[in-house]
Each structure stands twice: as structure tokens, then as C-alpha cells.
Amino acid sequence: MESDSSKNGGNVQMELKLEKSYMDPQLERDVSEAWHEMMETESRGVANRVVDLERRVLEQGDELVCLKATLAEALRRINILEGSRLAHQIVTTPVQARNGGHATTPTNAPVLKRPTSYSASRTDLNRKSYAGSSLPQRRAIHYQSTGSLHSDSQSSSSVSPVPSPSPRATPQPLSKRPPLVSPSQTTTLHKRWSSTGDFNQHINMQSKFSTKSFLNLYMKPSTTSSSNIKHGTRDVSYNEDDQTLKMYLRGRPVILHAPTDIADSFDLTKVSTAPSERLKLDWAYGYRGRDCRSNLYLLPTGEMVYFVAAVVVLYNVEEQNQRHYLGHTDDVKSLAIHPNKLLVATGQCAGHDKRDARPHIRIWNSVSLHTQAIIGVNEFNVSVCCISFSKADGGSLLLAVDEAQDHMISVWDWQKGENGHKITETKCSVDTVVAAEFHPLDRNNIVTCGKNHIAFWTLDAGGTLYKRMGIFESRDKPKFVLSVAFLQSGDVITGDSNGNLAIWGRGTNTVQKFIKNVHEGGIFSICVTKDGSVITGGGKDGKLVQFDPNLSKNREEITIEKHFGGVRVVSEGRGSQLLLGTTRNCILVGTVGLAFQPIVLGHADELWALAAHPSVPQFATAGQDKLLQMWDSMSHSILWSKDIGEQAHSIAFSSDGCVVVVGCLDGQWLVFDTQSREFLGKYKDGDEPIQTITFSPDGNLLAVGSRDNNIYIYQVSEQYRFSRIGKCLGHSSFITHIDWAEDNQSLRSNSGDYELLYWNATTCRQIVQSSTMKDIKWATNTCTLSFGTVGIWPENADGTDVNACCTNSVDTLMATGDDFGKIKLYSYPVSQPKSLNHVYGGHSSHVTNVTFIHDDSRLVSVGGKDTSVLQWTVS
């Protein structure tokens, strides 16, 4: 029985083996294909899950960064409140002691108010509250910026009231009487409220980034002999018999008569002291979008960060507050945000002064505004046009591209050593490079693009960069690859000069997908939002196009108004809002589904014309971009802007402020009503630019200074009709400045060949005996060459260094703007050749004009080619 059953079992096994051996081959193939398909599906599922996990990790990291930034901001504000409370206690305690313990205020005692600026309180925060953050700390000490060499602090902040279209009275400056405090209390208060530079001085700490050590990094100055031509006040002399002072400009002697009240006691060897008043940057108008990219971001603190001229601006739109990083010495050209969203890197170009304005990168804290590192001093040649922090490793590396002929690309370990450690450097491209970015997911991968190229770089463990050029099909290769971004999958997306989008596979150098004709003209910016949507900005057509995460054909479009310019930068704002930087130096905010509103406006071309309203806190500017703009200095906003159709060079208000006159480059001058903006008339004097234009104090006469060497005098009617009286002939070069005397009859003028001439305006005749004019009282003091301005000229001045000057309404202060981007503040008169002053930076081009607001509480300056308008408080 058992043998039969075992026999039957053996037969069954043999049958199964036979069936298996005779299985259909097609069935085997089907089974194999099914198995492979199942494995591929599983692999794709695993890859998708990995990508999803990477995205979630990044989102959680962003949330942590926002929490840290919010905490830092809260601590900073708490510190401000504590400082104000302490200040209040310190100020009131002595008064109570003097009044038997009763807190009474004397009738004539000044009321001390808490200042609206709070930049100075950040020093203590940086050393105490912020030291425990997760920010990579190289050193325990935070160094001051070189900006403190040019102003009283490397940072500034201001709070503006809610914008109002109607002019409001400007509050009187705070009393200059010092608070009555004890020495110990003064020290405590000062440590909390002083600027970065002052803080370092109090604790006797010399920064390694101070001017002396910064200059030591540069080569020794040339020892070549100086020119034999006499310049400035170096060879000044005073003739006691004639009571005249002689100075030289480009070898030409200039004779100036001393006023009677000081002529007998005038001493060349005396040194005029600097004024007790100081300037502080209150507001920076404008934005640099005409030629810079990737320079507009929203920080977790709610502030936008961008730059104009040599100022990096942190602007909170909701609170109408600006803070400023002033560490740079010339044009800022690039900006990058660290992955922790707290550190900012900014790169600048070379400037006028090779010792002090060399291209380099500054890394600074966006909460405290303290400089963390200065990278690449003496390493860059022209300017740092592109910078990027590494993302996949937490921001330990910094990428930079030099805008020199070979466009050298360098990678830095910015936290290592004294000024960072350069890991590697190599030639990027002979053609223009417009963008360079670290890959956000793949460690040590870099993408650069520009004219005729896109390149994919890999940094190996030994610090060597390997380059792979992107491969286009010949018919699709553009002249420029203008923008680059990264999809959530890690694929690279680029926009080109033909208006096309290309998607490059992650880890490859080939195009996976090509979308044609997204824009008419170049795609200047691509923004990938948190939800994966892709938004592109057109520089020529001014359009925004929004794609879904799959880049399907379903898309939304919106076109911004043409007068704002094309789209230069697109970045994420609050919630679903977008921030747009434009090619005409404007910043807009809005969404693709709704309209965009301007929040920052400025000029887009060279700027010379500036004038303050005679009775309200407003001022007007006009530039070669053909825009006339009226500004309110209190609300920090533009009241109105008008395209006048002509390039402007000079501007003036009538004595009652009802009209404004604009001088143009073609010899025309235009008249506008300041309230209605109505065009009232057009006049023409020659074909040369109108260099300067000014009304007499009573408003009955107008003097027009032209580049044709003549001054034209006009009679002004009650309806602001102008009739020419005549023209003043006598200058041998173009007119630069004109001042009216308080008698409404006399003029003085400067010219391009350093002449100072006097005129009778009613007869248009020159007053040859200049000694008779030495005691005349002048309504304005804009002539840079006079006895009262001798000290504004440096020892080696060549006559063109100082572009503009002005005095406040009581003639106690004089401000100047020069060719080196500096604003200087003097005590007036500046008649001593050795006159001390306060120097302030912020502009990166020639400071072409300066003026005090009517109540002397503020000073406004304009930079020529940097197109910026800077407003300073006087205190």
C-alpha cells in the first residue's frame, strides 16, 4: 500500500516537471515582462516618494528658518522697548531729584522724545540675544563695517508716517540740549543705543575691517612726483593789504575778496571745526533694476531687501520703515540670501578710490546689520556680478563671478580664516555671464548661463571644478540664456533671449522639454513658487506668465503698465503675492490674477535736477529719463510723476511754490503748475543745455544759466508769463551756478573755467569792481567758488571735484556733493582753507546736487548715474 502511494507521488512530480519543461516560451516572456514592469513601477514610486520627502524636508526647514527669524525680530523689538524705557527713567530721575522727588518739568526744559530710529540698538542684541542662534559662528566677535568710516554708523533706519497726498508741516528738530544723566547712566544708555562703530570704540576693540587695516591690504601708493600745476587750497595765500585770498584751480589763480567783518582778523592757519550737527540716512528712494538681476527678495521679518547705489535697503512696506546697510563703498551689483534667510551677501564693483572701493563681497546679518565677513579683497578685478550660497549643505560655500574679461568663477569657504578661504577659481566664459546658482538639492553642483552658453559645473572633493556645456539642438540655440531656476524635482529650467523655456534633466546637460514662444523677447526672470508653480517675466513684452507645476498648456498671463518698464526680477512676496523689479527701477507688488501696484518708484537715467519746495516739506527731481517727480519728504512717497517729453538737467520752484521750471538739455525750459501738474509754457534760450535756473527771492525775476556761456534774465508776471529782459555776457565758459542777492537786483555766477562774476540783473551788466560786492547778503549759497566756500575744496582739487553746495536757511551749515560719491557737512561760512567736516557715503556715482528741505530738518542728495535720491535727517 505504502509502495503504491509513493509510486503515485513520484508520477505526479514527474508530470509537473514535464509540464514545466514544455511551458510555452511566449508565456515565459509575458511573465518576465510583467515582472520587469512591476519593478520599474516600484522604482518610479520610490523615486517619487524620495522627491516628496526632499520637498517636505525643505518646507520644514523653511518653517524653522521663519520661526528663528521671527524670534530674532521679536527679541530686537523687545530690546528697543527696554532701551526706550531705560532712557525715560534716566532722563526723568535727575529732574525728580532736583524737585524734591516730584516729577515736574521746568517750563523752559526741552521735551525729550523717543527717536523713531532704532538702528543703534542692534549692537547689544547681536552680542547677547542673537549669539545663541543656529547661525554658523566663525568667531565670537562681530566686526564693524567700513561704512562707519563714511558716516556715523554702518546702518540706519527710519520710520515714515502713513503716506498722505496733502503736504504736512514738518516737525521741528529735537532739542540739542544733552540729557541730564550721570556718567554711569550715560555709559549704560550709550551701549544700548550707540551705532556699531561707536560701540566698538567704547570697548576699545579695533576691527580688522577698519580703514587702516583695509588699506594695508592694498599696494603701496605710487611715489611718482606730483604735477607742477597748482590745485585747490594747497598754495592758498592771503594779501592783508588788499584783503584778498588767492587760490588755484588747475593752475588758474582765483582772487576772492574777504568780507569787511573778518578781513582784518582773517588767519589762514586757523582750522575751522566741524559742526555739531550730523546727518543720518533717513530714506533711500529708487531701486537698481535697469542692469542688475536677482536682487529683490522678501525676508522672514517681512522686509524686502534690494539695493540702489551703494545702499542695501531693507524695506517693510506695512510699517513704512526702512533700514539700511551702508558697508559698501561703491555700486552694489549682486545680492544673495543664505539658506537660513538671516544672512545676506552683497557684492560691489570697483570705484573711484582704488584703495577703498575695490570689488569685494560683504556677508552681513539682516537683523543686526553687522558685517560677518568681507570676502575677496584684492581677488576681483571689475565687479562681483553674480553670487550664490550653497543650499544642499546649509550654506557653507559661496559662489562668485567676476565681471572681468575672462569672467572668473570662484568658490569660497566663507567661514574659514580671516577673510574666507578660496577653494578654487577657474575661467567661466569669455562671453557675458548673467546668472550663477548652486543646485538646491545636489551638493556641489553649479549652473551658470549667459551669452551663447549654459554650463553645468561639479565641484569634486579635491576642490576642482569640472564643466559640462549644455547641449542645444542647433536650430534652438539662443544668443543668450538669460535666467535659471530649479523645479521641485531638481530639474533645471532656463529662459532665453528668444522667449523660450528649456527644462534640463536633473544631473544631465541635455534638454528634456522645450516650450517655445512663451514671451516676445527675452525671459529675464523665472520664479518657482512653494506650490511648484512656475512664473516667468518678460523684459521686452512686460508680461508675467504663470504655469502649473507640470508646465502644461494651461497658463495665466498679465501685462504690467509700460511706463514701469519690463520685468527684471520676479520673487515671492507675502502669501500669494509676487514682488516685481522692473527695468525702469520700480518695484511692484500684486498677483498674476490681479493688477500690480507700485511700492518703490525712482528715476531710470542720469539725474541732476533737484529743488526743495519753499514752504512745505516737498522736493522735486527731474532726470534724463524725461520724468518730473514731486516727492513728499514726510511720507517718503511720490505725490505725482509726469513724463515731460524732454531730458531735464535743472529745476527751480517759484518763490511761492506755485510753479516749477525745468531746464532741458536742448536749451528749452518748461513751466508746470505744482498742484494741477498742468503745462503752462515752453521757452528756449539757445541750443545748449540749461545748466542752472533760479528765481529771485521776491519771485519777480528768473535767471537762466546756459551751457552757451550766457545768463538770460526774465521778468515774471502774476500769471507766470515770462518776458526776456536781456542776457548777461562775459563768461568764457559754461555757467555752473547762480545765486541771487537778498536785494533782488544782484547776481553772482560761477563758470566751467572757475570764474566768479557779479551782475546787475536789471541791466544785465557785469559789475566789474568785485570788491564792492564783498559785503552783499546772498539769498542762496549754491556757488561753489566764493569766499565763503574756500574750505570745501581739497588741497589737490582740480575745480571739478565739487559739483554742488547749499546752506540751510539760517546759514549755519553747508552741505556739498562731490565726484567721489561723498556728502560733506561743514560749519558755514567755510572760509578757512583747513575746514573740518563730516563725510557720508551712500551714493556710488557723482553726487550731482544737494538741497535742504525748507525747515532745515532734512537734506536731500541725488546721484548722477546711480539715479538714486537719498534723504538725510539733520540732528
Side-chain angles (χ1 to χ4, degrees):
M1 211 44 196
E2 291 179 357
S3 61
D4 291 340
S5 62
S6 62
K7 186 182 292 184
N8 292 335
N11 292 336
V12 170
Q13 290 179 1
M14 289 183 63
E15 289 175 3
L16 290 173
K17 289 181 179 179
L18 289 171
E19 288 180 5
K20 202 168 188 178
S21 63
Y22 288 106
M23 184 180 291
D24 187 2
Q26 181 62 37
L27 181 60
E28 288 185 359
R29 286 193 296 272
D30 292 343
V31 171
S32 177
E33 289 177 0
W35 183 81
H36 283 296
E37 184 177 351
M38 180 181 68
M39 294 302 295
E40 289 178 0
T41 303
E42 184 67 21
S43 299
R44 286 195 296 269
V46 170
N48 290 335
R49 287 195 293 273
V50 170
V51 170
D52 187 59
L53 286 173
E54 288 179 342
R55 181 178 59 81
R56 291 187 181 183
V57 169
L58 289 176
E59 289 177 354
Q60 291 175 355
D62 289 342
E63 291 175 1
L64 290 174
V65 166
C66 290
L67 289 173
K68 292 175 184 176
T70 304
L71 177 60
E73 178 72 7
L75 291 173
R76 181 175 64 80
R77 296 192 179 204
I78 290 171
N79 198 29
I80 294 167
L81 293 175
E82 290 178 351
S84 64
R85 184 176 60 185
L86 179 61
H88 178 72
Q89 293 173 352
I90 291 173
V91 171
T92 57
T93 299
V95 178
Q96 293 175 357
R98 289 194 305 272
N99 290 278
H102 299 287
T104 59
T105 303
T107 304
N108 298 325
V111 179
L112 298 179
K113 300 180 180 178
R114 173 175 174 259
T116 55
S117 169
Y118 52 81
S119 65
S121 65
R122 296 184 190 91
T123 303
D124 200 44
L125 169 65
N126 186 70
R127 290 188 164 275
K128 296 179 181 178
S129 302
Y130 192 70
S133 74
S134 62
L135 188 68
Q137 298 291 331
R138 302 189 300 151
R139 296 174 290 271
I141 299 173
H142 296 287
Y143 295 96
Q144 73 178 33
S145 160
T146 55
S148 60
L149 304 173
H150 307 290
S151 64
D152 295 329
S153 92
Q154 66 162 348
S155 61
S156 67
S157 68
S158 61
V159 180
S160 71
V162 178
S164 170
S166 61
R168 293 176 292 174
T170 308
Q172 293 298 321
L174 297 178
S175 172
K176 299 179 181 64
R177 180 178 175 181
L180 301 172
V181 295
S182 65
S184 60
Q185 290 170 328
T186 304
T187 303
T188 304
L189 179 63
H190 209 65
K191 284 185 179 180
R192 183 174 296 274
W193 284 94
S194 64
S195 68
T196 308
D198 294 335
F199 180 83
N200 287 340
Q201 290 171 8
H202 289 163
I203 61 175
N204 296 323
M205 180 180 68
Q206 177 62 40
S207 167
K208 70 180 70 177
F209 298 138
S210 63
T211 302
K212 293 181 179 179
S213 61
F214 199 49
L215 296 182
N216 288 338
L217 297 173
Y218 188 66
M219 62 187 69
K220 293 183 178 179
S222 173
T223 56
T224 55
S225 59
S226 59
S227 172
N228 292 326
I229 298 178
K230 295 182 179 181
H231 288 309
T233 57
R234 182 179 58 190
D235 299 299
V236 67
S237 60
Y238 183 70
N239 188 319
E240 295 182 358
D241 295 332
D242 296 338
Q243 297 182 337
T244 59
L245 182 146
K246 180 190 289 187
M247 61 181 293
Y248 295 87
L249 292 175
R250 291 213 173 188
R252 178 169 181 166
V254 179
I255 308 298
L256 303 171
H257 291 269
T260 302
D261 57 346
I262 65 171
D264 292 334
S265 59
F266 185 73
D267 183 359
L268 281 177
T269 62
K270 288 184 178 180
V271 177
S272 177
T273 60
S276 59
E277 293 86 351
R278 300 293 182 100
L279 299 181
K280 182 178 181 181
L281 183 59
D282 174 43
W283 206 263
Y285 302 94
Y287 157 75
R288 183 162 184 167
R290 69 188 188 277
D291 60 352
C292 292
R293 306 164 189 270
S294 302
N295 62 348
L296 176 62
Y297 298 95
L298 182 70
L299 297 175
T301 57
E303 297 170 306
M304 296 185 306
V305 57
Y306 58 93
F307 55 77
V308 60
V311 180
V312 187
V313 183
L314 296 95
Y315 178 25
N316 190 314
V317 179
E318 293 184 354
E319 298 181 3
Q320 281 297 298
N321 170 54
Q322 274 191 3
R323 297 187 296 139
H324 311 101
Y325 179 75
L326 301 175
H328 287 282
T329 53
D330 212 273
D331 277 303
V332 182
K333 294 293 293 290
S334 52
L335 185 151
I337 307 298
H338 193 275
N340 65 18
K341 303 296 178 64
L342 296 179
L343 286 181
V344 178
T346 44
Q348 76 166 61
C349 68
H352 304 286
D353 189 344
K354 292 184 178 180
R355 298 172 300 173
D356 201 30
R358 286 162 289 157
H360 63 275
I361 301 168
R362 306 181 79 89
I363 299 174
W364 47 279
N365 187 304
S366 63
V367 175
S368 65
L369 300 183
H370 285 191
T371 302
Q372 302 282 351
I374 299 178
I375 306 296
V377 177
N378 293 330
E379 297 288 344
F380 302 105
N381 293 321
V382 178
S383 73
V384 183
C385 62
C386 302
I387 50 178
S388 175
F389 282 105
S390 56
K391 279 83 172 176
D393 61 357
S396 62
L397 301 180
L398 181 70
L399 165 71
V401 177
D402 187 1
E403 201 173 23
Q405 184 175 0
D406 290 334
H407 295 91
M408 302 298 291
I409 181 173
S410 55
V411 179
W412 298 76
D413 182 349
W414 65 271
Q415 299 176 89
K416 185 177 181 180
E418 292 280 325
N419 297 298
H421 169 66
K422 183 164 65 176
I423 297 173
T424 186
E425 181 180 46
T426 188
K427 182 177 177 180
C428 183
S429 173
V430 294
D431 294 316
T432 304
V433 177
V434 300
E437 295 285 345
F438 271 102
H439 198 287
L441 302 177
D442 297 337
R443 185 187 292 261
N444 295 337
N445 282 6
I446 298 168
V447 181
T448 62
C449 63
K451 184 177 180 181
N452 294 321
H453 79 279
I454 177 173
F456 300 86
W457 303 78
T458 302
L459 179 66
D460 68 5
T464 303
L465 278 172
Y466 294 95
K467 176 181 178 182
R468 290 182 300 161
M469 299 298 296
I471 300 174
F472 284 97
E473 295 183 13
S474 58
R475 65 179 184 277
D476 295 325
K477 185 173 182 179
K479 185 174 182 180
F480 277 90
V481 179
L482 296 172
S483 52
V484 61
F486 301 91
L487 301 177
Q488 290 186 344
S489 62
D491 293 341
V492 179
I493 181 170
T494 58
D496 63 36
S497 53
N498 297 327
N500 305 325
L501 287 175
I503 293 87
W504 307 76
R506 181 174 178 178
T508 71
N509 63 336
T510 57
V511 177
Q512 281 189 347
K513 186 175 182 180
F514 202 75
I515 306 175
K516 291 188 175 183
N517 303 321
V518 178
H519 289 273
E520 295 178 9
I523 300 175
F524 281 8
S525 183
I526 302 174
C527 176
V528 180
T529 63
K530 291 179 181 178
D531 64 3
S533 300
V534 177
I535 302 169
T536 61
K540 182 179 179 181
D541 59 13
K543 287 184 179 180
L544 283 179
V545 179
Q546 181 170 345
F547 293 86
D548 61 25
N550 298 321
L551 295 173
S552 64
K553 294 183 178 180
N554 298 324
R555 62 181 78 166
E556 294 183 67
E557 294 185 4
I558 188 173
T559 303
I560 65 174
E561 299 176 33
K562 289 185 177 180
H563 60 87
F564 292 131
V567 178
R568 176 67 73 185
V569 181
V570 185
S571 65
E572 287 190 275
R574 287 181 177 270
S576 60
Q577 289 185 333
L578 296 174
L579 300 177
L580 298 187
T582 74
T583 56
R584 287 184 65 81
N585 297 343
C586 303
I587 297 178
L588 315 178
V589 63
T591 61
V592 175
L594 300 173
F596 280 81
Q597 300 297 326
I599 53 176
V600 174
L601 296 173
H603 284 278
D605 207 342
E606 191 167 349
L607 185 59
W608 284 77
L610 169 68
H613 194 285
S615 58
V616 294
Q618 298 173 7
F619 61 93
T621 58
Q624 295 184 13
D625 56 0
K626 304 179 182 180
L627 287 181
L628 167 62
Q629 302 191 128
M630 186 73 70
W631 309 77
D632 182 10
S633 66
M634 295 295 294
S635 65
H636 305 124
S637 61
I638 286 185
L639 299 177
W640 53 264
S641 180
K642 185 179 182 68
D643 188 339
I644 62 176
E646 299 289 344
Q647 292 183 308
H649 190 80
S650 55
I651 192 170
F653 280 96
S654 60
S655 57
D656 58 7
C658 292
V659 301
V660 63
V661 179
V662 181
C664 304
L665 291 182
D666 61 353
Q668 295 186 87
W669 50 278
L670 315 176
V671 186
F672 298 91
D673 187 289
T674 56
Q675 296 298 321
S676 65
R677 316 177 209 177
E678 180 184 358
F679 173 66
L680 300 180
K682 177 171 64 174
Y683 303 84
K684 188 174 176 67
D685 289 309
D687 297 322
E688 297 292 324
I690 303 300
Q691 295 283 111
T692 181
I693 191 165
T694 180
F695 283 87
S696 61
D698 61 6
N700 293 327
L701 296 175
L702 176 72
V704 180
S706 173
R707 200 171 180 85
D708 66 3
N709 306 353
N710 299 322
I711 301 174
Y712 300 87
I713 307 298
Y714 283 81
Q715 183 75 41
V716 185
S717 70
E718 292 183 359
Q719 294 76 31
Y720 290 102
R721 303 297 179 188
F722 297 84
S723 56
R724 187 196 288 182
I725 295 176
K727 62 180 177 180
C728 302
L729 303 173
H731 275 296
S732 55
S733 185
F734 58 90
I735 312 301
T736 58
H737 306 89
I738 296 175
D739 285 322
W740 281 95
E742 292 182 355
D743 61 9
N744 299 293
Q745 302 294 318
S746 304
L747 286 174
R748 67 179 177 185
S749 57
N750 290 159
S751 63
D753 58 353
Y754 327 120
E755 288 180 322
L756 171 62
L757 301 184
Y758 299 91
W759 311 87
N760 185 319
T762 56
T763 61
C764 298
R765 296 292 182 90
Q766 181 182 348
I767 300 173
V768 180
Q769 296 295 327
S770 57
S771 59
T772 62
M773 304 297 292
K774 62 183 180 180
D775 294 324
I776 293 290
K777 300 297 183 183
W778 299 98
T780 58
N781 292 284
T782 64
C783 285
T784 58
L785 191 57
S786 67
F787 190 86
T789 61
V790 170
I792 71 174
W793 295 97
E795 286 191 358
N796 296 312
D798 67 355
T800 62
D801 292 335
V802 182
N803 299 311
C805 67
C806 69
T807 55
N808 59 357
S809 60
V810 293
D811 290 342
T812 58
L813 295 174
M814 169 165 276
T816 67
D818 61 33
D819 278 355
F820 310 107
K822 297 295 185 290
I823 296 165
K824 295 180 180 179
L825 190 66
Y826 296 86
S827 296
Y828 187 79
V830 199
S831 53
Q832 295 297 141
K834 301 289 186 182
S835 295
L836 303 180
N837 57 79
H838 303 302
V839 185
Y840 302 90
H843 289 288
S844 56
S845 179
H846 305 327
V847 180
T848 53
N849 215 333
V850 291
T851 187
F852 284 93
I853 298 299
H854 79 104
D855 64 352
D856 300 334
S857 63
R858 293 168 177 82
L859 176 79
V860 180
S861 59
V862 294
K865 293 187 177 179
D866 68 26
T867 72
S868 65
V869 180
L870 301 184
Q871 180 174 303
W872 311 78
T873 55
V874 183
S875 60

